């Protein structure tokens, strides 16, 4: 049986607010928690998804939150929040049928208030492969700002998986531009801190799906990763032309730091061909790195 918990306001519009979904078990689900406001002038307010267990999607996301993305032109409800996705466990033991591009946590926003906030904290996401198509721990798309991704454990389990015009299986996937939801905001602040990201093809992907190319962060967008362990992935962070990603003060799996030995010039102009940690691409600033020692990390 295909089961889902869904909440939407329909085209006539009413606000979704003061909702808590806590301590549930979702198993062999089509969609776990699915929230969609698709009315102009609608509003998604306070929403908490906490302490739930999601095991084996057979079709789509464990948690999908959508503000907009319906109609032509696309309607623009507002994400107000705060939206808190806290202390949930996601385990995917098998490939997702017809699920290319599926993410365990998928946030899609066409518009939000200046005070909106999204917190994704303390979740555990585990894949057990092999997978044949791209699957993701988290995806953010649209002009979303004020995001904190903190204290999560994302384990790709060596699942692998690719798909045309998409990044391969990744822990965190930032869509710099999306055909339906638009571009990341020039004023966005996405803080990714104190996470463990391991076992993926790409630990973190920054990708423009319109151009089908890596990079594309708009000038001024603030994507920062600090105090994370990004290790055991084929590539640590993959980006390209666009705003520079601040990935300073992370542990890359080796005291020598990340491997940075490109045929393309790196921006900033780093070169670390002797690095034994996960690789980084151009437009990723990674120095200084973390040196993990007892009792606390130091920077090098």
């Amino acid at each position: 049986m295909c089961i889902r918990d869904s909440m939407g306001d329909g085209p006539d519009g009413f606000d979704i607010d003061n909702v808590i979904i806590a301590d549930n078990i979702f198993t062999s689900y089509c969609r776990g928690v699915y929230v969609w406001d698709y009315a102009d002038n609608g509003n998604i307010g306070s929403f908490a998804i906490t302490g739930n267990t999601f095991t084996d999607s057979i079709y789509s996301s464990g948690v999908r939150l959508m503000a907009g993305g319906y109609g032509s032109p696309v309607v623009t409800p507002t994400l107000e929040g705060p939206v808190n996705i806290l202390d949930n466990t996601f385990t995917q033991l098998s490939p997702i049928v017809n699920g290319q591009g599926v993410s365990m946590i998928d946030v899609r926003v066409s518009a939000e208030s200046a005070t909106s906030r999204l917190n994704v904290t303390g979740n555990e996401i585990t894949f057990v492969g092999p997978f044949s198509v791209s699957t993701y721990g988290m995806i953010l798309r649209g002009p979303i700002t004020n995001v904190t991704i903190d204290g999560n454990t994302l384990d790709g389990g060596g699942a692998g998986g690719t798909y045309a015009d998409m990044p391969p299986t990744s822990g965190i996937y930032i869509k710099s531009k999306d055909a339906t939801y638009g571009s990341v905001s020039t004023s966005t602040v996405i803080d990714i801190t104190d996470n463990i990201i391991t076992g993926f093809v790409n630990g973190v992907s920054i990708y423009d799906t319109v151009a089908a190319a890596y990079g594309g962060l708009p000038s001024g967008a603030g994507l920062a990763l600090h105090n994370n362990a990004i290790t055991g992935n084929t590539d640590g962070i993959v980006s390209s032309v666009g705003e520079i990603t601040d990935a300073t003060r992370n542990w890359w799996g080796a005291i020598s730091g990340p491997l940075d030995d490109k045929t393309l010039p790196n921006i900033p102009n780093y070169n670390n061909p002797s690095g034994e940690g996960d690789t980084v691409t151009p437009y990723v600033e990674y120095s200084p790195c973390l040196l993990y020692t007892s009792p606390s990390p130091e920077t090098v």
Side-chain angles (χ1 to χ4, degrees):
M1 180 180 294
C2 186
I3 300 172
R4 72 179 186 185
D5 256 1
S6 62
M7 182 173 298
D9 72 354
D12 295 330
F14 62 82
D15 292 343
I16 300 173
D17 197 12
N18 296 318
V19 177
I20 299 174
I21 299 175
D23 303 320
N24 299 283
I25 297 174
F26 299 84
T27 303
S28 298
Y29 56 89
C30 282
R31 297 183 176 100
V33 177
Y34 187 68
V35 184
W36 188 6
D37 189 321
Y38 55 98
D40 274 327
N41 303 313
N43 182 284
I44 296 179
S46 175
F47 209 107
I49 302 169
T50 179
N52 302 283
T53 299
F54 302 85
T55 304
D56 270 350
S57 168
I58 61 173
Y59 181 74
S60 189
S61 304
V63 172
R64 179 179 289 180
L65 178 76
M66 301 171 64
Y70 179 87
S72 180
V74 174
V75 297
T76 54
T78 299
L79 178 66
E80 174 62 42
V83 173
N84 294 306
I85 303 173
L86 311 175
D87 301 322
N88 301 284
T89 300
F90 302 82
T91 305
Q92 190 65 35
L93 301 173
S94 58
I96 300 171
V97 177
N98 297 321
Q100 61 270 14
V102 170
S103 179
M104 296 297 98
I105 298 174
D106 188 341
V107 179
R108 311 179 182 195
V109 174
S110 57
E112 65 177 0
S113 75
T115 58
S116 172
R117 176 155 294 280
L118 169 67
N119 301 303
V120 183
T121 302
N123 301 280
E124 295 185 9
I125 298 176
T126 303
F127 296 157
V128 180
F131 297 165
S132 59
V133 297
S134 298
T135 311
Y136 307 104
M138 305 179 192
I139 296 181
L140 300 180
R141 70 188 85 188
I144 188 169
T145 58
N146 301 321
V147 178
T148 298
I149 299 174
D150 179 76
N152 303 279
T153 298
L154 297 93
D155 187 344
T162 59
Y163 196 74
D165 298 331
M166 292 182 182
T169 292
S170 307
I172 298 175
Y173 173 13
I174 308 296
K175 285 197 176 188
S176 57
K177 189 172 185 180
D178 181 85
T180 299
Y181 291 88
S183 299
V184 168
S185 170
T186 57
S187 60
T188 194
V189 178
I190 301 175
D191 288 324
I192 301 175
T193 57
D194 296 309
N195 302 281
I196 298 171
I197 306 172
T198 186
F200 293 92
V201 181
N202 293 349
V204 179
S205 293
I206 299 99
Y207 192 84
D208 177 342
T209 57
V210 175
Y214 284 103
L217 281 178
S219 178
L223 173 57
L225 298 95
H226 300 307
N227 300 314
N228 302 284
I230 305 172
T231 177
N233 307 285
T234 304
D235 291 296
I237 301 178
V238 184
S239 188
S240 190
V241 176
E243 184 62 80
I244 293 168
T245 295
D246 179 0
T248 56
R249 304 194 310 278
N250 293 292
W251 169 245
W252 302 94
I255 293 173
S256 56
L259 173 62
D260 173 15
D261 185 13
K262 318 294 184 311
T263 55
L264 295 174
N266 204 348
I267 307 293
N269 189 21
Y270 295 138
N271 187 30
N272 191 30
S274 61
E276 297 176 309
D278 281 20
T279 60
V280 293
T281 63
Y283 294 85
V284 177
E285 182 178 6
Y286 57 82
S287 181
C289 307
L290 282 186
L291 169 64
Y292 269 61
T293 60
S294 181
S296 62
E298 300 174 356
T299 57
V300 293

